[in-house]
Amino acid sequence: VKEEWIKERELRIYDLKGGFWLDIDTDEDRQTAERLLRQRLREKGKRVREAVILATSERRLEKPKMLTKLCGLSLLERNLQLLKALDISKVTIMLGPRGKPIRQYLDKKGDLGIKIGYVESRDGWSPPIVGEEFLLLEGDRLFDARIIEALLARREATLAIDRGCHPEKARGLPKILIGDGVKAIGENLEKWDGVYMGAALCTPQLFRILLDDSLQDGDRLESLGIGYLDISKIPTYIAEMRRDLPISWIRMENEKDLKKAKKLLIERTQKGTLDLLAWYLHRPIENRITYYLSEWPITPNQVTIFTNIVAYLATFLFLQGYLLGASLLTLVVNILDGVDGKLARARGVTTKLGHIEHSFDLLFEQSWYIAFAWYIFSGSGSLLPLILGLLILLLDSFNRHCSMQFKQVMGVSLADYAKFDRLFRRFDGRRNIYTLYMLAGAIFGLPLYALMAMAAHALLTAVVYASRAIKHLRAADRQGAV
């Protein structure tokens, strides 16, 4: 900065982020500008930690939209849990003239693990006090978490847009015209490329534009350098779910939207690449149970505990020789074991702790194989059932570890890595298949043959898993070397 510029009062700085400008006329002005510059440099690359949720005052539903329950949780709680999971530390909720019930609702909930502030206005909207970039969400929307993650990864003000929005769904939503960035926004734009879906990485300046009543006629935004996030470009494959899940969002306007949202949530809890029994029999039953349980005050952990109790009851029955009753109980357990995870995903309350459930699954299902083999041994006196039982345990453990190691290294499940692997996953040796063998052995009175079939199936699975994992890992090593 040249001294003569300051002396001649010919220097003006613009803060596009904060939406104001400052003429440098005095030394005090210069000091202010330097402080501002230092602050912006500190903020550069800093992850957004604050969010603003807009609460609507409309009452087309029986209660404020944000308090509408969906699978046992209000939209507001869902959004707060989502923000907390994404390391947002502070949320400001903008309350309209009828926002009192929202505040009362949260007060009754107590500490939700995230700092919550409020901005209230009886005569209209008032901007919250947020001095830097923040995440902005419309409170009456159900958002896919990947949309919010993608916004938080941006480095500039960004609007999330849906370029494939159906005209009927787009009614009443701000339309977006894009070029290199966002060129214009407004509800009545004649020419538009997508709709603003109610989520943005925002600055105070952009925030004032989005709240402006004149937005209906369209605002030109070319000079502000606002970017856009096309949600159709967000990757849809989720390794944990072993399937592609389309990016989705829903605006809650009426009861029809609620039913649609609930159905969508339940469907999206389903993992892909399953065996035939799990896909064609367990899946529809699990989804129906989850659909109804989601509105009850039953937690996923309670379902897990109940499932384990029933599982060990089956183990006890196997040891006592009630093979048919025990086998039927294992079928019940196989269904219940899918409900707890689906219930957690439908409510958006999945946790790292919940993954330990798979270890307990391993414990009770291998107790079945031990009890089944022990009963056959105790009745025959032959060591063959014990040898077969031991072989099943070793191979089943190897198959699990092989799959686990492959996913840890490659980031994708072995069962979902290639077309052949997905096909073999439908018939590979695992609990659902082994319980069918035990059921058939109990029905026809041939439990030893059931044990032989289980061991053979486990051996085949071990050979396929090991050979396929070696093939894929060797190919990956060669690619890496090239």
Side-chain angles (χ1 to χ4, degrees):
V1 177
K2 295 182 179 180
E3 289 294 331
E4 56 266 27
W5 291 356
I6 298 176
K7 292 177 181 178
E8 299 299 326
R9 300 185 180 183
E10 294 178 354
L11 182 63
R12 171 180 290 180
I13 65 164
Y14 292 89
D15 180 15
L16 297 181
K17 192 173 183 181
F20 67 88
W21 52 267
L22 173 66
D23 279 326
I24 300 181
D25 296 331
T26 65
D27 289 338
E28 185 179 354
D29 292 336
R30 182 175 183 174
Q31 291 171 3
T32 301
E34 289 174 348
R35 284 197 303 269
L36 177 64
L37 177 58
R38 284 194 296 268
Q39 178 185 345
R40 289 292 180 256
L41 287 174
R42 284 195 302 269
E43 292 170 358
K44 189 175 182 179
K46 179 182 176 183
R47 183 178 172 87
V48 173
R49 298 293 182 184
E50 295 188 41
V52 173
I53 297 179
L54 298 182
T56 178
S57 61
E58 297 180 45
R59 286 178 175 266
R60 296 183 187 179
L61 300 173
E62 295 180 358
K63 59 177 69 175
K65 293 180 184 178
M66 291 177 67
L67 301 186
T68 303
K69 291 290 183 73
L70 184 60
C71 292
L73 283 181
S74 67
L75 284 176
L76 177 56
E77 288 176 277
R78 284 182 173 277
N79 285 330
L80 289 175
Q81 286 184 354
L82 172 59
L83 295 175
K84 180 183 175 184
L86 295 175
D87 293 328
I88 297 296
S89 58
K90 180 182 178 182
V91 176
T92 301
I93 301 177
M94 291 191 62
L95 302 175
R98 301 184 221 174
K100 188 177 179 181
I102 295 174
R103 186 163 188 168
Q104 291 174 336
Y105 179 84
L106 286 180
D107 287 343
K108 291 180 180 178
K109 287 291 179 180
D111 184 16
L112 295 175
I114 190 169
K115 186 178 180 181
I116 300 175
Y118 302 92
V119 172
E120 299 183 59
S121 174
R122 296 184 179 181
D123 301 319
W125 298 109
S126 299
I129 303 174
V130 179
E132 54 188 46
E133 287 181 349
F134 59 95
L135 188 67
L136 177 66
L137 300 181
E138 292 278 358
D140 61 346
R141 315 286 159 91
L142 177 65
F143 294 106
D144 191 311
R146 290 168 291 176
I147 298 174
I148 312 304
E149 288 176 331
L151 279 174
L152 290 174
R154 295 301 181 97
R155 295 300 184 187
E156 71 284 333
T158 304
L159 299 176
I161 69 169
D162 186 352
R163 302 189 69 176
C165 187
H166 191 276
E168 186 68 27
K169 184 180 178 181
R171 186 177 301 171
L173 292 174
K175 314 300 188 298
I176 302 289
L177 179 65
I178 63 175
D180 292 334
V182 176
K183 295 176 65 176
I185 180 172
E187 291 186 18
N188 299 323
L189 290 181
E190 293 184 4
K191 183 180 179 181
W192 50 280
D193 299 297
V195 298
Y196 168 58
M197 40 170 291
L201 185 61
C202 212
T203 62
Q205 184 182 23
L206 176 58
F207 186 61
R208 286 192 287 272
I209 293 173
L210 294 176
L211 292 184
D212 194 342
D213 291 336
S214 64
L215 192 61
Q216 293 184 354
D217 302 324
D219 277 3
R220 308 298 297 184
L221 305 177
E222 294 150 299
S223 63
L224 300 182
I226 297 172
Y228 65 90
L229 170 67
D230 182 355
I231 64 172
S232 67
K233 303 298 183 183
I234 299 175
T236 58
Y237 181 79
I238 300 179
E240 185 69 24
M241 300 295 291
R242 302 192 300 271
R243 61 179 289 204
D244 284 291
L245 279 178
I247 306 297
S248 65
W249 65 281
I250 296 179
R251 178 175 57 158
M252 301 298 174
E253 287 291 301
N254 47 48
E255 295 294 337
K256 182 180 178 181
D257 292 331
L258 282 176
K259 292 180 180 179
K260 177 182 176 182
K262 184 174 180 179
K263 183 179 179 182
L264 176 69
L265 282 176
I266 300 300
E267 289 176 349
R268 293 169 71 85
T269 63
Q270 180 62 57
K271 292 184 177 181
T273 318
L274 299 172
D275 57 79
L276 294 175
L277 185 66
W279 184 260
Y280 290 106
L281 179 62
H282 297 174
R283 179 175 58 92
I285 299 175
E286 290 170 359
N287 288 349
R288 182 60 59 181
I289 294 174
T290 305
Y291 187 90
Y292 290 110
L293 278 187
S294 63
E295 304 296 344
W296 292 7
I298 296 176
T299 68
N301 287 341
Q302 290 171 340
V303 176
T304 300
I305 293 171
F306 178 74
T307 301
N308 275 262
I309 292 173
V310 177
Y312 287 111
L313 176 59
T315 302
F316 175 76
L317 292 179
F318 275 130
L319 288 171
Q320 297 300 312
Y322 299 103
L323 301 186
L324 181 58
S327 300
L328 292 175
L329 271 186
T330 62
L331 299 182
V332 174
V333 171
N334 289 344
I335 293 173
L336 290 178
D337 187 46
V339 172
D340 52 0
K342 288 187 174 183
L343 187 60
R345 290 190 287 273
R347 289 181 177 172
V349 293
T350 53
T351 61
K352 293 180 176 63
L353 177 63
H355 290 278
I356 198 67
E357 177 235 354
H358 300 300
S359 299
F360 287 97
D361 291 349
L362 170 65
L363 198 61
F364 70 65
E365 65 187 70
Q366 291 199 344
S367 75
W368 294 346
Y369 312 148
I370 294 172
F372 189 70
W374 181 263
Y375 174 74
I376 301 172
F377 162 73
S378 62
S380 65
S382 170
L383 289 177
L384 180 60
L386 291 184
I387 295 173
L388 291 173
L390 179 60
L391 183 62
I392 292 170
L393 291 180
L394 290 174
L395 293 174
D396 184 60
S397 298
F398 172 78
N399 294 338
R400 286 171 176 268
H401 194 270
C402 192
S403 180
M404 180 185 70
Q405 284 293 101
F406 185 88
K407 184 176 180 180
Q408 184 176 346
V409 172
M410 301 297 290
V412 180
S413 173
L414 175 60
D416 201 31
Y417 196 79
K419 184 176 180 180
F420 175 83
D421 303 312
R422 287 188 288 272
L423 180 62
F424 184 71
R425 173 65 174 83
R426 293 177 175 270
F427 309 96
D428 63 355
R430 61 184 55 241
R431 183 179 68 198
N432 286 339
I433 302 298
Y434 298 154
T435 52
L436 288 182
Y437 285 135
M438 290 190 288
L439 177 62
I443 292 175
F444 296 107
L446 300 170
L448 181 60
Y449 287 97
L451 206 57
M452 291 179 179
M454 291 165 63
H457 206 145
L459 178 60
L460 172 64
T461 302
V463 171
V464 173
Y465 271 27
S467 60
R468 295 295 292 180
I470 292 171
K471 176 182 181 296
H472 296 319
L473 292 172
R474 179 177 293 171
D477 284 336
R478 288 173 178 170
Q479 270 190 326
V482 172

